[in-house]
Amino acid sequence: MRRKNGETIMEWMEELQHDGIIRYLDIFNTERLAIVGPKALSEVLVQKSYEFVKPAQLRKGLGRILGVGLFLSEGDEHKMQRKNLMPAFAFRHIKNLYPIFWSKASEMADALSKLVNEDQDFIIDANNWSSRTTLDIIGVAGMGHDFHAIADPNTDLNVTYRRLFAPSRSARLLGILSFILPSWFIRMLPIRRNNDIVASAGVIKRTCRSLIEEKRTSLAKSAFEKDAEPVRPDILSIAMDSGAFLDADASVDNDLTNQLMTFLIAGHETVAASLSWALYALCQYPDVQKRLREEVLLRLGAELSNEKAAPITSESIDSLPYLSAFCSEVLRLWPPVVLTVRVADCNTSILGTFVPKGTVLILAPLATNRSTALWGGDANEFNPDRWMKPGQANSGGADTNFAQMTFLHGPRSCIGQSFARAEFVCLVAMWVGRFKETRFADEKYIMEVRNGITARPDAHKVKVTV
């Protein structure tokens, strides 16, 4: 199931009769429920969201590098964490981050333009450059700190993340074993991957703790000095300035460290995956690329060419309908996280069907996002125009919000959805505006999906015309 990356569930959705729940037997004849229908998804994600939790094995495994932050916390702990963090992700704050997104996107374009001008045949590793750029963005916009990964790919943090996310046999093996063997046993296995995880977690935690101390000092200075700079618009500053994380005690610091570990990975790896898919779409559909570039140049020509132009705003970016449609279609057709797992934490029910405690549920955004029952006969086709019809800018023509599962829904939905989408749109606008053409480096390139924390096009390399 996992090796097929959600494709099996997608096939079952189309071929089998079901009421939104598909029951099947997995390894060792373990019962699984694939939740694929809007009503069933609404019940699991909204009405009974805290009755279905992430598996303990998954929490312990991912917690080593993600920290037990908002993504992995459950119950009252999750409710409290989300309540404390929600103000920082309000759109009134996100709109102030557009100039940061735009500035870092411009830095990426400048760096690539220089390399291409020096060598017209320069090959761009789309996955690598996407990750470096989004790591810098989450640093500045999320924590007020520049990691300089665009300028230098050999910084400690960038090297750490690239090592963690690099596909390897041992990583795949540990992933499979983690669903069979206890976590304490997995950690004791004498393989290099375990050592890499321990070393990487140490680098990430030290980085997060250092950022917290810097930010706390900066906020304290702002509070007592009349001529101090105002609070910056980054997420960490807003969250700490709200008072929820301002106290300097061990429990608060530990909680905040976990949140930063989560934001660092989730905040850059998911958007990086989406940018990689966007570049794939530009190469695969040159007519779409041409139309998108024309709109961006028409509306944002001054912002792209004149350094003295007024700073980019959310209004100027969000007023481009085809850019929005393109990004929405990329997020629909290629969700960065294609499968997620839940376990019934108590005896419960879904659509009136009894579900005993311990039952494993599979949610498959890839399958739901491509359901012909929800999206029509062209559900598997890349078609930005589905978002361009009157009244369909936010729905793509689907009759239910649960047709689009990229960010999930309900209390466990992605808290950074507005942040991620704004960043993604700015990156795409900058790319198509600055580069006349984006094409596959290998004309015979056949796309295969690289699976990991996120799904991306594997060995994805492109060339551009400046």
Side-chain angles (χ1 to χ4, degrees):
M1 176 69 65
R2 291 184 165 275
R3 289 193 296 272
K4 291 193 175 182
N5 220 25
E7 292 179 5
T8 301
I9 293 180
M10 190 162 58
E11 292 172 3
W12 290 343
M13 283 184 68
E14 303 300 323
E15 297 172 0
L16 303 177
Q17 290 187 345
H18 58 84
D19 60 356
I21 306 173
I22 299 175
R23 177 184 178 273
Y24 66 96
L25 299 179
D26 204 356
I27 189 170
F28 304 132
N29 283 331
T30 307
E31 184 180 48
R32 298 282 188 268
L33 299 180
I35 310 301
V36 296
K39 291 182 180 179
L41 288 167
S42 175
E43 195 164 336
V44 170
L45 293 173
V46 180
Q47 299 163 34
K48 299 179 179 179
S49 61
Y50 290 106
E51 293 182 18
F52 300 100
V53 301
K54 290 185 172 66
Q57 293 289 82
L58 181 68
R59 295 183 71 213
K60 291 176 181 177
L62 285 180
R64 298 169 72 182
I65 55 174
L66 275 177
V68 186
L70 193 63
F71 180 73
L72 293 176
S73 60
E74 296 290 350
D76 290 340
E77 182 183 11
H78 177 269
K79 293 176 184 178
M80 180 187 68
Q81 290 183 7
R82 191 173 179 95
K83 179 182 178 181
N84 289 340
L85 291 167
M86 278 296 290
F89 287 94
F91 189 72
R92 67 179 183 275
H93 296 310
I94 300 301
K95 68 179 183 180
N96 294 328
L97 297 175
Y98 276 69
I100 294 176
F101 299 150
W102 192 253
S103 175
K104 273 296 176 181
S106 180
E107 182 182 338
M108 170 195 67
D110 287 344
L112 288 173
S113 295
K114 180 180 179 182
L115 291 169
V116 173
N117 285 330
E118 292 173 353
D119 178 5
Q120 296 296 316
D121 291 322
F122 180 76
I123 294 175
I124 300 169
D125 185 328
N127 290 328
N128 180 276
W129 278 92
S130 296
S131 291
R132 287 162 58 186
T133 302
T134 56
L135 180 59
D136 270 4
I137 288 176
I138 194 62
V140 179
M143 290 125 200
H145 182 89
D146 196 337
F147 295 123
H148 299 293
I150 294 174
D152 181 8
N154 296 315
T155 60
D156 285 347
L157 197 60
N158 185 59
V159 170
T160 295
Y161 280 127
R162 301 295 72 79
R163 180 173 62 237
L164 270 179
F165 299 143
S168 68
R169 229 174 131 185
S170 61
R172 287 192 293 270
L173 177 61
L174 279 187
I176 295 170
L177 292 178
S178 66
F179 284 87
I180 303 172
L181 301 172
S183 58
W184 63 264
F185 183 82
I186 297 292
R187 296 185 187 195
M188 290 178 62
L189 292 175
I191 58 177
R192 180 176 177 179
R193 179 64 178 176
N194 269 329
N195 294 332
D196 286 345
I197 290 175
V198 171
S200 298
V203 172
I204 297 167
K205 283 183 178 179
R206 286 193 297 273
T207 300
C208 291
R209 287 168 181 159
S210 175
L211 289 172
I212 292 168
E213 286 303 314
E214 289 179 10
K215 189 63 64 178
R216 183 169 282 123
T217 300
S218 174
L219 289 174
K221 183 178 180 181
S222 298
F224 290 103
E225 294 186 10
K226 293 182 179 180
D227 59 345
E229 294 182 6
V231 175
R232 293 182 180 181
D234 60 89
I235 297 299
L236 180 58
S237 292
I238 300 298
M240 293 183 70
D241 190 55
S242 71
F245 301 100
L246 202 53
D247 294 336
D249 63 55
S251 63
V252 171
D253 279 2
N254 186 59
D255 184 19
L256 196 48
T257 297
N258 281 322
Q259 302 302 341
L260 291 196
M261 291 176 71
T262 298
F263 293 155
L264 273 175
I265 291 184
H268 93 271
E269 185 63 11
T270 52
V271 181
S274 293
L275 181 57
S276 292
W277 284 118
L279 300 184
Y280 172 79
L282 294 177
C283 296
Q284 189 74 3
Y285 306 100
D287 290 344
V288 169
Q289 180 179 171
K290 181 175 181 293
R291 180 178 170 186
L292 181 58
R293 177 171 164 80
E294 287 174 352
E295 180 187 73
V296 169
L297 289 179
L298 178 65
R299 301 286 192 90
L300 301 176
E303 288 84 348
L304 287 161
S305 60
N306 184 1
E307 292 182 0
K308 295 182 180 180
I312 201 76
T313 64
S314 60
E315 290 79 10
S316 57
I317 287 287
D318 294 339
S319 66
L320 278 65
Y322 197 65
L323 173 65
S324 177
F326 174 87
C327 292
S328 293
E329 187 68 347
V330 169
L331 292 169
R332 180 194 73 86
L333 198 62
W334 298 295
V337 179
V338 298
L339 285 178
T340 188
V341 186
R342 296 287 189 273
V343 174
D345 199 38
C346 59
N347 290 335
T348 184
S349 64
I350 304 173
L351 300 183
T353 299
F354 176 68
V355 177
K357 180 178 179 179
T359 302
V360 175
L361 278 58
I362 305 295
L363 309 178
L366 178 70
T368 305
N369 288 8
R370 296 188 180 202
S371 167
T372 56
L374 299 173
W375 292 97
D378 67 344
N380 279 291
E381 298 175 16
F382 183 75
N383 178 20
D385 280 317
R386 75 175 77 245
W387 305 87
M388 295 289 287
K389 297 175 183 177
Q392 295 186 185
N394 295 320
S395 70
D399 293 329
T400 169
N401 290 337
F402 292 91
Q404 168 63 291
M405 285 282 290
T406 299
F407 295 102
L408 300 182
H409 294 281
R412 301 307 307 258
S413 62
C414 175
I415 195 173
Q417 177 176 347
S418 296
F419 181 105
R421 184 178 173 88
E423 175 185 355
F424 180 43
V425 172
C426 286
L427 286 167
V428 172
M430 179 61 69
W431 188 285
V432 297
R434 289 287 298 274
F435 302 125
K436 298 176 182 177
E437 181 192 26
T438 302
R439 58 196 181 278
F440 293 123
D442 180 358
E443 294 179 357
K444 298 179 180 179
Y445 175 72
I446 298 176
M447 192 274 291
E448 292 186 5
V449 178
R450 188 184 85 185
N451 299 323
I453 289 181
T454 58
R456 299 197 194 194
D458 193 26
H460 182 26
K461 294 178 172 57
V462 302
K463 290 184 178 181
V464 298
T465 302
V466 177

